[in-house]
């Protein structure tokens, strides 16, 4: 039995998406066993950007890389690998992934995920990924939470699938996710407040003033610490997410990586009717210059993302 209905996937992407789903289902079983599967959250090294790698980061990377061989993916780029790997000389696709997002939540049984982005391979290994985000032909995330979910876009809306643990298959649950234009929640790591720029501070203060201020409504605050969990909540019931640039050393462009975090989430959000910017410019109009580069990231309900851009004006 296939891990996802091939009829819902463009033909050239079927083997790669099937591999992502089958591997996601396998990984969800490992994650569900938690400490029974070993010390998944144990530190095992550092990635190219100096982030600590956890055992599950490395395991997930190895699983996806192995599963994608022979599926039409020529180039494989991962947060966990410094350079792009050529995994199939005859392939036509370039797939970038954060194989395990939200790794600080591994040991505390909070939702974590896998994010991926696919381009047509063109112009060489690095060049295939250093392209306008609008060149993506597919983006998705798998969320490992109370349910294991796949949200995926091929450029014609964002579909949601739920893993049926009884069969190991991802089953269509929503063929067109619809991100509400208005928000009642916002997400930002508030511990960085003293490092924020003025427009970010102004936006958060408007939210805090709630119905007593310009906003005219109260806003709730949420911070999970897993981009996948945050994105899924916002796709489902609206909201805003900000990981802006701030004054800390190394955070001039925020924290999140353009190629395998920001660009795919922006594609999914826009295809569900939301907006995604770097604060001002639409992410989909931007091009990564380096594989692991960071980008300030603001996304969610259109009204809120527009307001944040206006505050930057
Ligand atoms: O990969 C980066 C990530 O773990 C995201 O999943 C999450 O949104 C963010 O970092 C959390 O950042 P912080 O450590 O500042 O809370």
């Amino acid at each position: 039995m296939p891990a996802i209905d091939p009829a819902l996937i463009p033909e050239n992407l079927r083997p790669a998406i099937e591999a992502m789903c089958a591997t996601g289902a396998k990984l969800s079983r490992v994650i569900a066993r938690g400490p029974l599967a070993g010390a998944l959250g144990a530190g095992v090294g550092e990635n190219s950007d100096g982030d600590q790698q956890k055992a599950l980061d490395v395991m997930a990377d190895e699983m996806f890389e192995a599963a994608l061989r022979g599926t039409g993916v020529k180039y494989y780029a991962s947060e966990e690998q410094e350079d792009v790997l050529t995994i199939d000389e005859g392939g036509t696709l370039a797939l970038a992934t954060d194989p395990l997002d939200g790794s600080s939540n591994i040991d505390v049984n909070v939702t974590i995920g896998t994010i991926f982005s696919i381009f047509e391979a063109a112009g060489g290994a690095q060049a295939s990924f250093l392209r306008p985000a609008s060149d993506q032909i597919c983006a998705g995330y798998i969320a490992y939470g109370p349910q294991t979910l796949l949200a995926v876009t091929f450029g014609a809306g964002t579909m949601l699938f739920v893993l049926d643990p009884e069969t190991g298959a991802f089953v269509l649950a929503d063929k067109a996710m619809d991100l509400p234009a208005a928000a009642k929640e916002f997400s930002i790591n508030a511990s960085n407040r003293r490092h924020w720029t003025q427009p970010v501070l102004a936006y958060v203060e408007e939210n805090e003033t709630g119905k007593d201020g310009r906003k005219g409504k109260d806003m709730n605050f949420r911070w999970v610490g897993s981009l996948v969990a945050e994105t899924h909540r916002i796709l489902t019931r609206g909201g805003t997410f900000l990981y802006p640039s701030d004054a800390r050393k190394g955070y001039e462009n925020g924290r999140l990586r353009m190629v395998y975090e920001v660009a795919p989430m922006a594609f999914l959000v826009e295809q569900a009717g939301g907006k995604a910017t770097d604060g001002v410019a639409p992410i989909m109009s931007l091009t990564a210059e380096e594989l692991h580069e960071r980008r300030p990231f603001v996304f969610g309900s259109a009204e809120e993302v527009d307001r944040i851009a206006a505050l930057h004006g």
Side-chain angles (χ1 to χ4, degrees):
M1 179 177 178
I4 192 163
D5 180 356
L8 297 167
I9 317 295
E11 206 173 334
N12 61 329
L13 297 174
R14 279 179 197 158
I17 299 298
E18 170 66 22
M20 291 304 294
C21 290
T23 308
K26 216 185 276 176
L27 199 53
S28 83
R29 290 198 292 274
V30 174
I31 292 166
R33 296 188 69 223
L36 308 181
L40 300 176
V44 293
E46 278 190 358
N47 66 20
S48 55
D49 207 47
D51 282 350
Q52 201 195 38
Q53 282 177 313
K54 306 281 175 68
L56 191 62
D57 288 318
V58 175
M59 186 193 294
D61 181 45
E62 288 171 357
M63 286 169 69
F64 285 112
E65 184 205 314
L68 286 164
R69 287 178 186 270
T71 65
V73 173
K74 181 171 186 178
Y75 299 125
Y76 174 81
S78 163
E79 176 170 29
E80 307 309 331
Q81 312 237 11
E82 185 143 8
D83 297 316
V84 177
L85 304 181
T86 302
I87 60 171
D88 179 0
E89 274 299 347
T92 60
L93 304 171
L95 183 144
T97 184
D98 178 353
L100 206 286
D101 169 69
S103 38
S104 72
N105 282 323
I106 294 171
D107 277 342
V108 292
N109 196 20
V110 169
T111 298
I112 50 183
T114 297
I115 310 171
F116 60 97
S117 160
I118 306 180
F119 293 91
E120 300 277 7
Q126 287 258 345
S128 292
F129 299 100
L130 307 184
R131 313 242 295 267
S134 57
D135 280 6
Q136 292 174 97
I137 56 171
C138 170
Y141 63 76
I142 302 170
Y144 310 102
Q147 303 132 31
T148 295
L149 305 167
L150 166 74
V152 68
T153 181
F154 304 106
T158 295
M159 293 187 279
L160 179 69
F161 296 81
V162 180
L163 176 68
D164 182 344
E166 307 282 314
T167 63
F170 284 83
V171 180
L172 186 66
D174 186 348
K175 61 182 185 326
M177 294 183 85
D178 185 13
L179 198 164
K184 291 194 268 258
E185 291 171 333
F186 71 107
S187 301
I188 187 167
N189 184 340
S191 67
N192 299 320
R193 186 183 194 103
R194 70 190 187 284
H195 306 295
W196 291 340
T197 60
Q198 197 281 327
V200 170
L201 192 56
Y203 176 70
V204 171
E205 284 176 353
E206 273 184 20
N207 287 346
E208 289 167 344
T209 317
K211 65 168 168 311
D212 299 330
R214 179 190 185 281
K215 199 131 210 162
K217 63 177 175 183
D218 287 337
M219 295 286 281
N220 208 348
F221 169 80
R222 289 281 181 273
W223 186 252
V224 182
S226 286
L227 177 62
V228 167
E230 229 91 60
T231 306
H232 188 66
R233 188 190 62 246
I234 292 171
L235 275 171
T236 307
R237 66 179 187 210
T240 339
F241 174 97
L242 300 91
Y243 213 120
S245 56
D246 66 47
R248 285 174 296 164
K249 197 169 175 306
Y251 284 77
E252 299 78 9
N253 287 309
R255 177 187 171 91
L256 303 175
R257 312 313 152 105
M258 176 65 178
V259 173
Y260 40 78
E261 293 180 313
V262 173
M265 290 317 201
F267 194 14
L268 288 158
V269 163
E270 289 216 344
Q271 287 295 318
K275 288 196 173 179
T277 69
D278 64 357
V280 180
I283 295 295
M284 294 301 279
S285 71
L286 303 176
T287 299
E289 278 160 26
E290 284 169 34
L291 188 59
H292 297 288
E293 79 177 34
R294 299 175 179 214
R295 236 358 117 99
F297 195 23
V298 171
F299 72 84
S301 296
E303 282 175 11
E304 299 294 318
V305 176
D306 287 345
R307 176 64 188 152
I308 293 164
L311 285 165
H312 282 81

